[in-house]
Amino acid sequence: MTATVSISSIEKSFGAARMLKGVSVDVAAGEFLTLVGPSGCGKSTLLRILAGLIPQDGGSIHIDGAAVDHLPPRARDVAMVFQSYALYPHMSVHDNIATPLKARRLNSLARLPVLGSLMPGQKTVRAGIDAAVKQVAAQVEIEALLDRRPAQLSGGQRQRVALARAMVRQPRVFLMDEPLSNLDARLRVHMRGELSELHRRLGATFIYVTHDQVEAMTMSSRVALMMDGEIVQVAPPAEIYSNPSDVRVARFIGSPEINLLPGRADPRGYVTLAGRATPLRVGMTGGLTIGLRPETLAIGDGSSDIVVDGRLQRIERLGHDVLLHMRHAGDDQRSFTARVSAMDFDALRMAGRLEASLMFGARATAALMFGADGKRLMPLRDEPSAGNVTYTSSRALMGA
Amino acid sequence: MARHGSLLSRSGLTPGQLAMHAFLLLCAFAMLFPFYWMLLTAFRPSQEVFSPTFHWLPQTFVGLDNFRAAFGKAPLLRFMLNGAVICAGILAVQLLTAIPCAYALAKYEFRGRGLLFALVLFALCVPVQVPALPLYMTLAFTGTLDSYFALMLPFFLSVFAIFLFRQVFRSFPDDVIHAARLDGMGEMEILWRIVVPSAGPAIAAFAVFSVTAHWNDLYWPLVVVTSPELAPPPLGMMYFNDPDIGSSFGTLMAAATLLTAPLTVLFLFAQRHFVQGVTMTGVK
């Protein structure tokens, strides 16, 4: 009960606005792929095109190797969980969950409201549906709620009913459109765990849409980051964090946001940050952006590979960690954030050093460099021979 | 003055609210007084109607004499049955046609949708008197004049219902329809089993509008019906207009009481849904 999904160059426009600009991604069978991106980037539209709910303008969708572009939603064997849960308001929980099975196993005459139950030869079918509903309800622990209406349920319970309705017909592919965003914070954490567990148990392909990077990072086997109708990068969570291909990816993934500081590369490719030399070298000359994650910055004495200094603006205590919001000492006056442990922070405060200019250091390997076009610049390790300057950009990285 | 103020504050009303309630009571009185007069007249002799002084209670109480006379004079039950058949027939066909139309206008994207809806709005402005002549001719040519069918035909398609239900269906969440499509339901099934049950209040509101309008309609029955056994209530009432002895007000009012009773009962039952439906859709 699992299938590969192949999305190739999907195009969609609403009026003059190009919503999806040739999106392509392949999903392996049994994979948990998260489509993450800011609101309005087209991720929900892509999901609805996958389900067959809205037609695409170009490109095609293959499920299990077969094109499904001409198939209506019901024939695609995919199930969807909606952000609003989309439960049938006037039906009991039991009937909500039974609906997909009734629509498939009973003929249209037997589904008529009153006459339907008088049609012959459906007793075993109905018993089978009942058993399946009970089994799925037990899996998501809502057996006690089967007689209630959706309006009588809490958000978390509705969420489970929606899941049960999707699970009951054992589809090959599950599509989830921000299913956790209407839950409160505690329940969301809990349901994250349950969804991961469910994915492991069912072994079906999950395609999960969210704008929440935490959901993307914690649950998925791969993350596809979408921006402005394009997929910018597809990678496992750890890689998309440590090895972003584009400055937009680096900014979207990670909280607090990555620090972006302006640097310059001299004609030989050596990079300076606010006038200080760094061991970094790139295959280009001119302005570039140096990205340093807040946790890679440590309080230092100026002897580190990369040195950043600034004045303290604001302190945020997170308990185990402290966020220091700084103003960069360079001409740019950019603000940046450092994440230090509470212990280091207390030592700093005892020493009375918070008033003065603070100096942070980071290892050269922690720095992510981006060119003027936002693409990643890989540092050069070898000495370039004269006249053979190589420009390494993220295109090579993405191709790899 | 102080006492007055404390009285007001004790009842939790501001002077503005008090004035508002006084005004509303006055309006309610204006609405209810004719009904009271109808009931009053139904229980007193006809002569009392012409007495120069007004009394709140009958001077001579005649009991159910007027009602008995009304039943003797005309087949009131037959009129009511006619009214029920006509109203039920009209309402059933109106719902069967207007609901799919409204759903298509509300939820499907197709070329010319805006134009079609504009035509619906335009048709709202056409009174029934305008197409009356062609309709009459059609009925005359097909030989269906003087029948239940003739009484119902002009009202089968209700643009008001299309408009009302379109507004209701538009606010129905698309996600639920999408979920139903993924679950494998057909389009008609989605409409009748998922969307329509959620529009209960609006359907109740429309039913009250429709039944009231056609139960009380005099114009069209007067045009197409000549047989008394097909007469709906208002046309039936005309038989009480006796040119020889003038109108017998007592019997007339007794008949009117009986003929308006079903509507009053219907409204009382549908009241909660009706109010909900009207406020929900912003009609009137």
Side-chain angles (χ1 to χ4, degrees):
Chain A
M1 281 303 165
T2 182
T4 59
V5 177
S6 160
I7 299 165
S8 45
S9 29
I10 291 295
E11 295 271 348
K12 181 73 189 174
S13 302
F14 290 111
R18 268 182 90 198
M19 199 72 195
L20 297 174
K21 304 166 185 166
V23 174
S24 300
V25 60
D26 284 316
V27 190
E31 194 176 6
F32 194 132
L33 180 90
T34 305
L35 287 168
V36 66
S39 316
C41 72
K43 53 195 192 305
S44 288
T45 308
L46 182 62
L47 205 64
R48 280 168 170 70
I49 289 175
L50 260 174
L53 295 170
I54 51 179
Q56 69 264 38
D57 297 339
S60 80
I61 308 276
H62 289 72
I63 296 179
D64 217 4
V68 294
D69 302 304
H70 57 287
L71 293 177
R74 63 173 298 176
R76 296 192 179 194
D77 198 14
V78 300
M80 190 153 167
V81 178
F82 294 83
Q83 182 179 1
S84 59
Y85 314 136
L87 301 177
Y88 308 127
H90 60 283
M91 289 187 190
S92 68
V93 168
H94 178 280
D95 289 349
N96 260 286
I97 302 174
T99 298
L101 293 183
K102 281 186 187 162
R104 281 176 167 71
R105 297 190 191 166
L106 294 173
N107 62 31
S108 49
L109 274 180
R111 279 185 274 147
L112 287 176
V114 181
L115 290 173
S117 50
L118 304 176
M119 294 291 152
Q122 41 162 319
K123 210 166 180 179
T124 52
V125 181
R126 281 185 189 271
I129 292 174
D130 258 9
V133 169
K134 294 225 166 64
Q135 193 201 338
V136 174
Q139 281 182 26
V140 294
E141 297 164 27
I142 50 167
E143 304 106 305
L145 310 173
L146 285 176
D147 296 327
R148 302 226 195 138
R149 295 280 172 99
Q152 298 166 298
L153 303 178
S154 70
Q157 289 168 335
R158 284 180 209 179
Q159 171 70 67
R160 284 160 196 270
V161 177
L163 270 176
R165 186 177 65 181
M167 283 159 60
V168 74
R169 62 187 159 91
Q170 301 177 325
R172 296 180 294 178
V173 180
F174 280 88
L175 307 176
M176 307 211 172
D177 186 12
E178 311 213 5
L180 304 186
S181 57
N182 283 349
L183 301 180
D184 64 54
R186 222 186 102 251
L187 200 52
R188 208 177 304 167
V189 174
H190 178 72
M191 287 304 290
R192 275 206 315 251
E194 289 207 359
L195 277 180
S196 297
E197 168 63 21
L198 187 72
H199 171 248
R200 199 186 55 72
R201 210 169 54 215
L202 297 177
T205 309
F206 274 44
I207 299 178
Y208 187 101
V209 160
T210 181
H211 63 263
D212 181 355
Q213 50 159 312
V214 181
E215 286 175 22
M217 299 296 278
T218 51
M219 293 194 289
S220 27
S221 34
R222 275 196 307 162
V223 178
L225 197 128
M226 276 186 87
M227 292 224 169
D228 306 321
E230 289 171 306
I231 290 188
V232 187
Q233 187 173 5
V234 188
E239 192 187 326
I240 207 163
Y241 183 77
S242 61
N243 205 1
S245 68
D246 190 295
V247 70
R248 290 178 293 169
V249 179
R251 291 190 66 170
F252 191 83
I253 303 286
S255 172
E257 208 175 279
I258 192 169
N259 300 306
L260 295 173
L261 298 168
R264 287 203 75 75
D266 68 14
R268 285 170 54 222
Y270 282 104
V271 175
T272 57
L273 173 57
R276 281 182 212 268
T278 67
L280 296 166
R281 205 160 62 82
V282 289
M284 60 158 286
T285 310
L288 51 79
T289 305
I290 300 171
L292 291 166
R293 299 262 182 213
E295 70 275 10
T296 64
L297 292 173
I299 295 157
D301 53 4
S303 64
S304 314
D305 294 348
I306 301 169
V307 176
V308 187
D309 53 359
R311 286 201 159 271
L312 186 63
Q313 298 284 314
R314 195 157 53 86
I315 301 165
E316 267 183 298
R317 287 175 175 276
L318 304 178
H320 53 298
D321 282 344
V322 179
L323 293 182
L324 303 178
H325 295 273
M326 311 291 298
R327 172 90 54 181
H328 190 207
D331 304 332
D332 54 276
Q333 293 285 303
R334 295 243 192 134
S335 47
F336 66 95
T337 311
R339 184 175 197 142
V340 299
S341 72
M343 218 163 63
D344 289 353
F345 176 75
D346 285 336
L348 209 58
R349 206 183 43 181
M350 292 302 181
R353 284 177 56 196
L354 289 181
E355 298 306 316
S357 177
L358 279 175
M359 207 171 265
F360 293 91
R363 289 212 316 259
T365 47
L368 305 168
M369 289 178 292
F370 303 96
D373 60 350
K375 297 285 179 217
R376 178 83 176 274
L377 295 171
M378 298 313 279
L380 298 183
R381 306 222 180 276
D382 52 334
E383 194 71 25
S385 53
N388 183 20
V389 176
T390 43
Y391 177 85
T392 316
S393 82
S394 60
R395 286 180 209 286
L397 177 82
M398 281 177 85
Chain B
M1 195 59 207
R3 267 194 63 203
H4 182 64
S6 68
L7 189 77
L8 272 181
S9 60
R10 226 182 308 150
S11 61
L13 288 171
T14 65
Q17 283 174 320
L18 201 69
M20 177 66 80
H21 278 93
F23 175 72
L24 289 175
L25 276 176
L26 205 68
C27 292
F29 177 77
M31 289 292 208
L32 290 175
F33 184 73
F35 279 94
Y36 176 73
W37 198 82
M38 176 180 82
L39 278 173
L40 184 69
T41 310
F43 288 104
R44 61 185 178 175
S46 293
Q47 302 86 309
E48 258 187 51
V49 175
F50 303 104
S51 76
T53 50
F54 176 77
H55 299 282
W56 282 102
L57 291 172
Q59 297 306 99
T60 329
F61 185 71
V62 294
L64 295 175
D65 286 357
N66 282 328
F67 290 90
R68 220 167 286 133
F71 272 114
K73 205 165 172 188
L76 285 186
L77 286 176
R78 177 81 210 182
F79 296 157
M80 283 201 240
L81 178 73
N82 290 342
V85 168
I86 293 163
C87 287
I90 289 174
L91 183 63
V93 181
Q94 277 177 338
L95 291 179
L96 281 176
T97 51
I99 285 175
C101 282
Y103 182 64
L105 283 174
K107 290 292 182 194
Y108 290 152
E109 302 275 343
F110 55 89
R111 209 176 281 268
R113 179 171 80 159
L115 180 71
L116 269 180
F117 186 61
L119 283 174
V120 168
L121 288 180
F122 171 72
L124 270 176
C125 314
V126 180
V128 64
Q129 284 81 359
V130 173
L133 196 58
L135 277 169
Y136 183 87
M137 306 272 282
T138 312
L139 290 167
F141 274 122
T142 52
T144 43
L145 275 176
D146 203 21
S147 66
Y148 280 138
F149 178 74
L151 281 166
M152 295 190 273
L153 176 73
F155 310 107
F156 278 159
L157 305 178
S158 165
V159 278
F160 174 65
I162 295 175
F163 173 72
L164 181 86
F165 294 141
R166 173 194 176 262
Q167 302 304 95
V168 176
F169 292 162
R170 266 171 76 88
S171 63
F172 191 83
D174 284 335
D175 278 354
V176 178
I177 295 171
H178 285 164
R181 279 190 195 139
L182 279 165
D183 282 348
M185 289 191 170
E187 291 300 309
M188 273 297 169
E189 208 180 353
I190 293 174
L191 172 58
W192 293 103
R193 302 202 53 186
I194 306 290
V195 180
V196 168
S198 76
I203 292 174
F206 174 72
V208 170
F209 277 127
S210 166
V211 169
T212 314
H214 300 115
W215 183 275
N216 290 334
D217 186 27
L218 175 63
Y219 169 74
W220 190 250
L222 201 56
V223 172
V224 293
V225 166
T226 44
S227 332
E229 60 269 23
L230 285 177
L235 192 59
M237 293 285 289
M238 304 255 301
Y239 297 115
F240 287 87
N241 195 354
D242 192 328
D244 296 335
I245 53 166
S247 293
S248 158
F249 276 100
T251 352
L252 186 63
M253 288 304 144
T257 306
L258 288 168
L259 294 178
T260 46
L263 277 192
T264 318
V265 172
L266 171 77
F267 185 78
L268 285 179
F269 274 110
Q271 190 186 25
R272 202 163 55 87
H273 290 304
F274 177 73
V275 172
Q276 203 184 339
V278 171
T279 49
M280 189 174 67
T281 54
V283 173
K284 290 226 154 167

